[in-house]
Amino acid sequence: MSRTLDLTIDLINRKSVTPEDAGCQDMMANILKPLGFEIEDLSFADTKNIWARKGTEAPVFCFAGHTDVVPSGPEQNWQTPPFKATEKDGYIHGRGAADMKGSLAAMLVATENFVKANPQHKGSIAFLITSDEEGPFINGTTKVIDTLEARNEKITWCLVGEPSSTDLVGDIVKNGRRGSLTGDLLVKGIQGHVAYPHLARNPIHESTLALAELANTQWDKGNDSFPATSFQISNINGGTGAGNVIPGELKICFNFRFSTEVTDQQLITRTLQVLDAHKLDYDIDWTFNGQPFLTDSGKLVEATQQAIKGCTGRETVLSTAGGTSDGRFIAPTGAQVIELGPVNATIHKIDECVKIDDLDTLADIYQDILQRLLA
Ligand SMILES: [Zn+2]
């Protein structure tokens, strides 16, 4: 049986729904320690994190990932028990198989094989592992990065194991992500009878033109690496439920996914200009979910493209599409960051699974990247 599969099964069988770790990180540490890694527990509040490092020199190659998984949903809807890894038709099934316990297993096997073949390798190898990537991500990677930054410990190259592949392992590598900014807008009016509108102020009527303008604004044109910034309204709530009442307020939630052509501050300023131009009476709360980042070239991208080509024959495609990831906390330190993991077709879904052969291929690719950068 493949060692990567073995470790994947061990991890899936630990029910580590955010922020639980369920012993996954101890299991990983027990493999890394005998290879010469120093393990540092950097847990904060309910979140378990480890920083493991072998070597003291630069450059530092870091594997980053998370041991937590999203909930399974109703277990009876699964073909196999979500927290008991089950082999079926060449796939291993279970929550976290693709996102991202298979990647963690591949990182461990790649490191074992690389260190055994290159005991005197250059630089350092590190693991940054958290148990809260899927949840509020307050006490996870961001806190570990703060700790490393405070003592000026730098990551040169970071490979995040998020499931980046679409059809075949390695077909897509994420070399950046868009930024994300959410606005919660409360537009205030004056409640009244629909038959006496001159005694009321209708926040729905007043908002519609402003919202139409926001929805039709071209925020930027994107660039070679990013699509144009998008603005999407996700929720509108207003009204009392009665047909004869003008409501006193309207709540609107919207989100920007933005490119490197604009900043969060520019988006906020331009949004407020539109709201003010339409003379709305409003309160607004902003939630900033992460800056965009991009690793458009450099040794990490090069080594990754060559390793994928060498192990699979595939020309990988670099992409910045998709949601946010913990890469957004690591990239601002100056690290080159890419995301490479298994096929993401079933992530967060019922019957999450990963192709068993892909796990070994992924371990081979990871090892080949180490070889190219640190041998
Ligand atoms: Zn993930």
Side-chain angles (χ1 to χ4, degrees):
M1 181 157 150
S2 128
R3 169 112 173 115
T4 320
L5 175 60
D6 218 359
L7 297 180
T8 303
I9 291 172
D10 184 321
L11 289 167
I12 291 172
N13 289 346
R14 298 169 192 266
K15 186 176 178 178
S16 54
V17 176
T18 314
E20 292 301 322
D21 168 70
C24 293
Q25 291 178 24
D26 286 344
M27 176 277 224
M28 295 180 72
N30 286 337
I31 291 173
L32 294 172
K33 258 186 251 166
L35 298 175
F37 280 79
E38 298 279 341
I39 314 290
E40 197 176 342
D41 187 320
L42 289 177
S43 299
F44 293 92
D46 60 358
T47 303
K48 187 161 165 59
N49 309 305
I50 53 169
W51 169 249
R53 178 165 173 172
K54 176 180 183 294
T56 52
E57 304 288 312
V60 179
F61 179 94
C62 176
F63 284 115
H66 60 89
T67 50
D68 60 317
V69 296
V70 294
S72 61
E75 295 199 14
Q76 66 272 17
N77 293 352
W78 285 61
Q79 291 180 30
T80 65
F83 298 102
K84 187 176 178 329
T86 310
E87 288 186 55
K88 229 177 125 196
D89 306 327
Y91 284 78
I92 189 80
H93 286 249
R95 175 56 86 222
D99 187 9
M100 56 179 279
K101 290 177 167 177
S103 306
L104 298 178
M107 291 171 183
L108 291 169
V109 171
T111 303
E112 277 179 336
N113 293 341
F114 174 75
V115 169
K116 275 173 200 157
N118 303 273
Q120 305 298 327
H121 64 80
K122 286 189 286 194
S124 304
I125 308 173
F127 278 69
L128 193 175
I129 308 296
T130 180
S131 73
D132 180 9
E133 193 276 339
E134 303 286 10
F137 51 79
I138 292 164
N139 292 308
T141 300
T142 177
K143 286 271 172 71
V144 177
I145 288 294
D146 287 348
T147 307
L148 297 179
E149 286 285 278
R151 61 191 191 207
N152 202 28
E153 191 170 352
K154 291 286 184 183
I155 296 169
T156 317
W157 301 301
C158 185
L159 189 155
V160 186
E162 290 296 344
S164 60
S165 305
T166 301
D167 297 313
L168 299 164
V169 66
D171 61 356
I172 304 265
V173 166
K174 299 275 165 76
N175 67 328
R177 296 276 194 163
R178 290 176 293 178
S180 171
L181 174 70
T182 299
D184 283 290
L185 174 65
L186 174 74
V187 180
K188 292 177 266 188
I190 298 170
Q191 187 179 316
H193 195 300
V194 291
Y196 301 87
H198 56 289
L199 301 177
R201 221 182 124 182
N202 193 325
I204 298 177
H205 291 196
E206 293 191 352
S207 300
T208 45
L209 291 175
L211 293 179
E213 185 172 335
L214 290 170
N216 289 316
T217 295
Q218 186 180 60
W219 303 91
D220 61 36
K221 292 183 172 147
N223 53 34
D224 286 349
S225 303
F226 287 93
T229 293
S230 78
F231 166 92
Q232 290 295 317
I233 298 169
S234 56
N235 291 275
I236 289 193
N237 292 295
T240 61
N244 56 358
V245 180
I246 292 168
E249 61 183 41
L250 180 67
K251 286 181 184 165
I252 299 135
C253 178
F254 57 84
N255 178 269
F256 286 102
R257 291 298 157 110
F258 62 100
S259 78
T260 45
E261 296 294 308
V262 283
T263 66
D264 52 313
Q265 275 313 319
Q266 288 168 337
L267 292 173
I268 289 172
T269 304
R270 289 170 64 186
T271 303
L272 298 183
Q273 280 168 354
V274 172
L275 300 178
D276 291 337
H278 289 274
K279 300 195 167 51
L280 298 184
D281 179 12
Y282 64 91
D283 292 328
I284 190 160
D285 286 323
W286 296 96
T287 307
F288 178 55
N289 310 304
Q291 290 288 0
F293 68 90
L294 179 67
T295 301
D296 58 352
S297 59
K299 282 190 174 164
L300 179 62
V301 168
E302 228 169 77
T304 303
Q305 287 171 320
Q306 288 165 356
I308 291 169
K309 176 91 177 157
C311 294
T312 68
R314 269 162 222 146
E315 300 285 352
T316 193
V317 174
L318 300 173
S319 161
T320 60
T324 59
S325 85
D326 274 1
R328 74 195 131 146
F329 302 123
I330 302 164
T333 66
Q336 296 176 25
V337 179
I338 58 133
E339 299 174 19
L340 168 60
V343 173
N344 55 28
T346 62
I347 60 172
H348 294 211
K349 291 187 176 175
I350 283 178
D351 296 327
E352 179 176 350
C353 60
V354 69
K355 204 175 189 179
I356 291 170
D357 288 347
D358 284 356
L359 294 172
D360 286 320
T361 306
L362 194 60
D364 289 345
I365 297 171
Y366 286 169
Q367 187 185 341
D368 198 40
I369 295 170
L370 283 172
Q371 191 75 28
R372 287 169 194 277
L373 294 173
L374 293 184

